[in-house]
Amino acid sequence: MIVIHPELCSGCERCQVNCSFFPSGSVGRSRSRGKVVKVEELGIDYPVICRQCKERYCTRCPESALEVGPLGQIVVSPTLCTACGTCETLCPIGAIELYNDIPYVCDLCGGDPRCVAQCNMGAIEYVPGESGTVSLAPYKKESRGLDPEEKRVRFALDRTRELREAWKASVGA
């Protein structure tokens, strides 16, 4: 499982750049399987990456095009996928997004996540064997009707709430 340490994230987007380049050979936010959410007015930078959640909402694909791999990662079968968007709709945190009619979701780079290797701030950590331990059920209801970017922003705001409150307390705001 990928773990994010938001207090260490500088917003450099090295994780996003490497996440797009490694599997495709080209760079672009739409090709990245993890996306950095930036909420400038609050000073938040938060990479949203598949949490390999307990519920595995995305695997409820009507075509069985998504399944759980040996590392707990989500594996997409491009031959079975019909680009129906069910996986994108079901992911409560916006960690899946269709690009060129293929769902883009973290596959852990075969056990060597490039986002982790390229984060020189230590904001992203790979913890093998922790797949399926995190529940995203609390995000499911409030994610209905939102597009992936809106889901990512809501998730990032929630995951950084304590950090923002601690910062406010430390500066007396």
Side-chain angles (χ1 to χ4, degrees), residues 5-170:
H5 303 286
E7 69 280 6
L8 300 175
C9 183
S10 69
C12 70
E13 298 185 9
R14 286 173 57 116
C15 56
Q16 188 172 278
V17 168
N18 283 278
C19 183
S20 65
F21 185 77
F22 175 68
S24 71
S26 59
V27 175
R29 181 175 169 85
S30 56
R31 291 179 181 93
S32 181
R33 281 123 174 98
K35 307 242 185 339
V36 176
V37 171
K38 291 182 166 287
V39 184
E40 298 293 341
E41 62 272 13
L42 297 176
I44 294 173
D45 298 300
Y46 191 90
V48 176
I49 302 168
C50 177
R51 301 296 312 253
Q52 291 94 36
C53 68
K54 186 185 305 186
E55 295 83 10
R56 305 297 183 147
Y57 295 112
C58 62
T59 62
R60 297 177 187 167
C61 170
E63 304 300 326
S64 301
L66 285 86
E67 63 183 18
V68 179
L71 301 173
Q73 82 279 30
I74 299 300
V75 178
V76 178
S77 170
T79 57
L80 294 176
C81 181
T82 61
C84 70
T86 299
C87 56
E88 182 182 85
T89 301
L90 291 176
C91 180
I93 64 169
I96 298 179
E97 194 163 21
L98 292 177
Y99 176 71
N100 286 342
D101 294 334
I102 297 292
Y104 275 49
V105 60
C106 178
D107 61 4
L108 297 175
C109 296
D112 184 20
R114 296 313 190 271
C115 58
V116 173
Q118 295 303 314
C119 180
N120 58 1
M121 302 302 291
I124 305 174
E125 178 184 9
Y126 174 49
V127 182
E130 291 294 314
S131 173
T133 60
V134 172
S135 175
L136 295 180
Y139 299 98
K140 190 65 180 153
K141 186 176 180 181
E142 56 188 55
S143 73
R144 288 190 187 120
L146 300 178
D147 67 36
E149 184 63 21
E150 292 169 320
K151 292 176 188 180
R152 288 189 288 269
V153 169
R154 289 179 70 102
F155 183 67
L157 288 172
D158 181 66
R159 300 297 297 172
T160 59
R161 181 172 288 116
E162 287 181 24
L163 183 62
R164 292 189 324 270
E165 289 171 1
W167 179 79
K168 284 180 187 177
S170 73

